[in-house]
Amino acid sequence: MKLSERYLKQNIFKDLNDFVTNLEFLIPQNFNFGYDVVDEYARLEPEKTALVWTNDKGEHRDFSFADIKGYSDCTASYFKSLGIGRGDKVMLILKRHYQFWYAALALHKIGAIALPATNQLTKKDIVYRVNTAGIKGVICTCDGDVANQVDAAQSECDILTLKLSVKGKREGWLDFDEDIQNFGDSFERPAGDEATQNNDVMLMYFTS
């Protein structure tokens, strides 16, 4: 069975009117995109291409669904070891780095809330977002100046206790790329009170 058949009452439509009239989602209890879509593809078609990544320097990487499952699982274990749990808010300032997908899916899996943000943020932008949303951690690229802006903002953000760097090391920051290698590529789906619920918040955005 295709995943579209699992989550849509009808997945073939004869025209736009049919689509508008009859589109109906079949939403299971405690649905979680990380487990029920990404990991399910990893189970059904592990070698299926999930992500093709390149940059303006000519670097290139291909990821299968099995790869993405493994990396997001070890990232979830890493986040849990840092005390990130269900309902915690973590800002992702990662440009278009592939590590964004490790982090975002890991946060989904543990029920934390991801806040994607632009690398053009300045100190005042970061202070406002952290204090308004109650952001516990920031995972930030070392490419450009934005990590400096996070450091400048921290003295005005008492709730911000975790800073993780990507694509570089910084004093006072944890090294995301290095640290996730210390964790296994499997993560047990939370159950009971820690399980994600369908009405949980998964993503938050600030807009201009």
Side-chain angles (χ1 to χ4, degrees):
M1 175 185 288
K2 296 180 180 178
L3 290 190
S4 61
E5 296 173 346
R6 187 178 303 179
Y7 300 127
L8 290 174
K9 188 172 183 179
Q10 175 180 335
N11 64 81
I12 297 177
F13 303 91
K14 61 183 180 182
D15 53 34
L16 179 59
N17 183 65
D18 184 22
F19 176 82
V20 172
T21 302
N22 295 307
L23 177 65
E24 182 178 345
F25 293 99
L26 303 175
I27 304 173
Q29 185 179 11
N30 298 346
F31 176 81
N32 183 295
F33 178 77
Y35 297 112
D36 297 316
V37 176
V38 176
D39 285 10
E40 187 64 2
Y41 267 123
R43 184 182 72 83
L44 296 171
E45 299 181 75
E47 300 308 314
K48 183 180 178 70
T49 299
L51 174 66
V52 177
W53 176 89
T54 188
N55 64 12
D56 56 5
K57 297 177 182 178
E59 297 173 312
H60 179 98
R61 286 193 64 175
D62 294 332
F63 297 88
S64 68
F65 277 97
D67 293 331
I68 295 297
K69 179 190 185 303
Y71 284 122
S72 62
D73 276 355
C74 68
T75 303
S77 295
Y78 176 46
F79 288 167
K80 289 287 284 187
S81 78
L82 297 176
I84 298 172
R86 182 181 171 203
D88 287 335
K89 302 177 182 72
V90 178
M91 185 156 61
L92 307 178
I93 311 176
L94 292 175
K95 300 182 73 175
R96 293 294 180 266
H97 302 329
Y98 55 78
Q99 290 91 337
F100 172 86
W101 288 102
Y102 302 177
L105 287 169
L107 294 171
H108 297 342
K109 288 181 174 183
I110 62 180
I113 302 168
L115 292 91
T118 175
N119 63 305
Q120 296 178 327
L121 296 181
T122 62
K123 173 187 172 181
K124 66 179 178 63
D125 302 319
I126 295 164
V127 169
Y128 173 72
R129 283 161 172 75
V130 169
N131 291 333
T132 300
I135 293 170
K136 181 175 184 175
V138 173
I139 306 172
C140 183
T141 179
C142 287
D143 187 3
D145 186 58
V146 67
N148 291 325
Q149 300 299 317
V150 174
D151 280 337
Q154 189 171 21
S155 63
E156 300 177 35
C157 304
D158 291 340
I159 195 171
L160 179 60
T161 58
L162 292 170
K163 297 185 298 183
L164 288 72
S165 67
V166 170
K167 295 184 74 65
K169 297 178 180 291
R170 290 183 63 88
E171 184 177 354
W173 292 61
L174 298 171
D175 186 335
F176 176 93
D177 295 310
E178 184 175 282
D179 290 350
I180 63 171
Q181 298 178 44
N182 298 320
F183 293 84
D185 58 355
S186 63
F187 183 77
E188 186 174 347
R189 184 170 187 163
D193 292 340
E194 292 190 358
T196 57
Q197 306 292 318
N198 287 349
N199 60 353
D200 285 350
V201 176
M202 183 177 79
L203 291 166
M204 291 179 64
Y205 285 91
F206 282 81
T207 61
S208 319

